[in-house]
């Protein structure tokens, strides 16, 4: 998937968006383990620090939770964006 990354936008944001998309589409359901920093680095062809930044962002957003020694897990589904139909 590294070829799908747009080098004009922050890479960590694109990786975080890809993981969020996988959570939304059910690839990673609530409670499922998400890839580690090493796995993300390998999959996307990015530096470990970039992968860590993406995971830290998702943790800050409350989408994932980290368990020491076990990894990171999906904590909740992302909030759906408001649409004009919701009004």
């Amino acid at each position: 998937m590294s070829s799908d990354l747009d080098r004009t936008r922050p890479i960590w944001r694109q990786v975080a968006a890809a993981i969020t998309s996988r959570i939304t589409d059910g690839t990673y359901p609530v409670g499922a383990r998400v890839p580690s920093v090493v796995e993300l680095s390998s999959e996307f062809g990015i530096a470990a620090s970039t992968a860590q930044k993406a995971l830290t962002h998702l943790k800050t957003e409350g989408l994932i939770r980290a368990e020491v020694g076990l990894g990171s897990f999906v904590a909740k589904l992302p909030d759906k964006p408001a649409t004009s139909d919701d009004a």
Side-chain angles (χ1 to χ4, degrees):
M1 180 163 183
S2 61
S3 61
D4 293 345
L5 295 176
D6 175 0
R7 298 293 175 176
T8 63
R9 296 183 303 138
I11 301 302
W12 69 268
R13 285 193 180 273
Q14 294 176 67
V15 173
I19 296 168
T20 300
S21 176
R22 293 174 186 176
I23 293 170
T24 301
D25 73 14
T27 302
Y28 304 143
V30 173
R33 184 180 166 281
V34 296
S36 68
V37 167
V38 172
E39 292 166 331
L40 289 173
S41 296
S42 176
E43 177 183 349
F44 289 95
I46 58 175
S49 60
T50 303
Q52 182 61 55
K53 189 168 184 175
L55 290 177
T56 298
H57 173 74
L58 294 172
K59 186 177 175 187
T60 300
E61 294 291 309
L63 293 180
I64 65 171
R65 59 182 165 72
E67 294 188 21
V68 177
L70 296 176
S72 297
F73 299 85
V74 178
K76 70 172 190 169
L77 294 175
D79 294 331
K80 293 183 180 178
T83 63
S84 59
D85 295 339
D86 293 338

